[in-house]
Amino acid sequence: EKNNFDHFMLKEIYEQPSAITDTYRGRLLADEGIIRMAGVDDNLERFLNAKRILIVACGTSWHAGLVAEYIFEDLARIPVEVEYASEFRYRNPIINSDDVVIAISQSGETADTMAAIKLAKEKGAFVFGVCNVVGSSISRETHAGAYTHAGPEIGVASTKAFTTQITVLTLIALKLAKAKGSISNTDFHMHLQELETIPQKIEVALESNAHIKEVAFKYKDARNCLYLGRGFNFPVALEGALKLKEISYIHAEGYPAAEMKHGPIALIDEEMPVVVIATRKGHYEKVVSNIQEIKSRQGKIIGIVTEGDTSVRDLADHVIEIPDTIESLTPLLTTIPLQLLSYHIAVMLGKNVDQPRNLAKSVTVE
Ligand code: F6R
């Protein structure tokens, strides 16, 4: 079942090009300029009349929700709030009947997410599910939804579920943007064309595996690790840190790069590896100056950069390249090296990568 891979996690990391292709199969018709998603088409008015979108999820799925917040607001100009399902359900939240709630869950069985859905339904909101497991409880409880079609995810650490969730959410955002007219035709077509190239670009990103393994070897004995990113890649930093802690048991934290000076910079010394997502888009110059600040305090930099980058290469201890793409789609590529880095570190430390201690694949109790 693992084919030639040592672990399910590695197999699932490598499955991402085909998983994403499955996610958009029959939905993304780039040449025709159409995105077809029955769950959205059938409820288009609810989406278009929504004053806001509330996203509820846990763990990695919550990180996908955070990426979606940037994408929805940027492309579709709909205000988005992203909530931990466990916090949302217990705080007497304000939910209006014209809210659209998107619940994201790989397993479709997460107890807190399920409870948040029930609450939102009681208040009259329209609830849309983004699940991987077909026929799961959450997929049945929601009013409508879209499956990620990532195929079974066996490794406890979520990998292909995350990138396919982002893919589905991007398709929805683009579809709404088109319907609302908040995106130009040129931009819309460019996004569709570019989305179609993502699986191929992930293949390219995976070619850095051997290099990433060498980097992993250098940092496997670190006690702590910091992950920094901005904009669309801030949630990717959170996800990179979660991947490292859950399978290698190394303490890791993700931060928006600019927040570093508000506290975490105090942690930086020659013992501290800092993984910085510094693609040549968005706030590149600002991230480069964060890297300079870290270097002047002897921190070790692992930069995730756009291919051909030279500025970060000059400063960083290591760089891992990913292909160029449009900014909103970079999370689909920057995630890949972070998954591989965690994987190799955990394997080198002899940890049980597919079944980390204390964790379960679906959290059906709160
Ligand atoms: C992290 C991980 C967990 C899950 C979380 C939500 O790798 O697997 O953080 O993402 O328990 O699970 P689902 O998406 O099934 O609701």
Side-chain angles (χ1 to χ4, degrees):
E1 275 200 61
K2 282 183 241 166
N3 300 341
N4 288 323
F5 292 99
D6 291 340
H7 299 93
F8 282 108
M9 183 182 176
L10 190 62
K11 171 176 177 265
E12 289 158 6
I13 290 172
Y14 272 84
E15 274 171 357
Q16 288 174 109
S18 63
I20 288 175
T21 306
D22 289 343
T23 302
Y24 66 54
R25 176 167 296 122
R27 291 170 166 165
L28 172 66
L29 309 169
D31 294 340
E32 290 96 318
I34 295 172
I35 294 171
R36 199 180 281 153
M37 298 178 94
V40 181
D41 285 313
D42 296 348
N43 301 285
L44 199 58
E45 289 308 307
R46 296 278 333 217
F47 276 101
L48 295 179
N49 294 329
K51 298 242 166 28
R52 60 171 185 169
I53 294 175
L54 279 166
I55 297 181
V56 294
C58 304
T60 291
S61 297
W62 182 77
H63 294 154
L66 284 180
V67 175
E69 174 178 20
Y70 284 81
I71 296 176
F72 271 97
E73 293 200 347
D74 185 42
L75 299 176
R77 307 304 294 156
I78 303 172
V80 177
E81 282 167 45
V82 189
E83 305 268 0
Y84 282 119
S86 56
E87 286 297 315
F88 179 78
R89 63 180 288 201
Y90 283 119
R91 71 143 202 274
N92 190 16
I94 297 164
I95 308 170
N96 303 311
S97 55
D98 56 5
D99 286 336
V100 166
V101 174
I102 300 181
I104 311 173
S105 176
Q106 188 287 128
S107 63
E109 302 297 340
T110 302
D112 282 318
T113 308
M114 183 57 127
I117 292 167
K118 289 189 170 148
L119 187 63
K121 281 173 75 181
E122 272 166 36
K123 307 275 183 184
F126 172 70
V127 186
F128 189 90
V130 175
C131 295
N132 189 42
V133 177
V134 175
S136 54
S137 306
I138 289 176
S139 69
R140 284 182 278 117
E141 189 70 27
T142 42
H143 294 117
Y147 285 115
T148 45
H149 297 304
E153 191 180 66
I154 310 293
V156 164
S158 191
T159 54
K160 61 178 181 170
F162 179 66
T163 45
T164 55
Q165 285 164 345
I166 295 173
T167 304
V168 163
L169 293 158
T170 303
L171 288 171
I172 298 172
L174 283 167
K175 198 171 165 55
L176 299 181
K178 181 83 194 316
K180 281 188 64 181
S182 58
I183 191 170
S184 71
N185 267 333
T186 323
D187 248 16
F188 180 72
H189 284 276
M190 191 187 55
H191 274 80
L192 301 201
Q193 301 288 350
E194 193 58 30
L195 202 49
E196 223 172 29
T197 69
I198 290 293
Q200 174 53 34
K201 290 183 177 178
I202 293 179
E203 296 284 5
V204 175
L206 289 167
E207 286 167 14
S208 295
N209 185 44
H211 170 53
I212 294 169
K213 197 170 170 182
E214 287 165 17
V215 176
F217 187 75
K218 292 216 159 64
Y219 297 101
K220 66 179 181 11
D221 299 314
R223 302 293 309 278
N224 298 286
C225 189
L226 216 51
Y227 286 74
L228 304 177
R230 280 185 87 131
F232 296 94
N233 285 297
F234 155 55
V236 177
L238 299 183
E239 173 61 8
L242 177 63
K243 275 316 66 118
L244 186 67
K245 58 192 143 187
E246 67 183 334
I247 61 171
S248 72
Y249 319 144
I250 295 171
H251 170 243
E253 280 192 69
Y255 258 94
E259 273 293 305
M260 192 183 66
K261 63 174 76 65
H262 299 285
I265 197 163
L267 290 165
I268 296 185
D269 61 14
E270 65 285 350
E271 304 279 286
M272 179 65 99
V274 186
V275 178
V276 186
I277 305 164
T279 48
R280 220 186 301 107
K281 289 279 153 64
H283 315 279
Y284 177 71
E285 305 299 336
K286 294 185 176 170
V287 175
V288 171
S289 65
N290 289 138
I291 292 175
Q292 280 159 338
E293 287 159 10
I294 298 164
K295 275 325 289 178
S296 67
R297 289 162 182 84
Q298 275 73 54
K300 299 283 185 292
I301 300 282
I302 303 161
I304 310 299
V305 301
T306 311
E307 60 194 1
D309 178 280
T310 52
S311 307
V312 176
R313 187 178 288 272
D314 289 345
L315 294 165
D317 297 86
H318 313 274
V319 294
I320 303 168
E321 293 192 336
I322 55 150
D324 196 14
T325 186
I326 48 183
E327 194 187 353
S328 57
L329 301 182
T330 51
L332 294 168
L333 302 180
T334 52
T335 298
I336 308 300
L338 305 190
Q339 294 170 342
L340 287 169
L341 186 65
S342 309
Y343 170 78
H344 288 300
I345 290 178
V347 171
M348 286 169 191
L349 295 175
K351 306 302 182 202
N352 186 344
V353 173
D354 283 335
Q355 280 181 293
R357 68 187 183 198
N358 310 337
L359 294 175
K361 189 66 190 161
S362 44
V363 184
T364 52
V365 291
E366 63 169 293

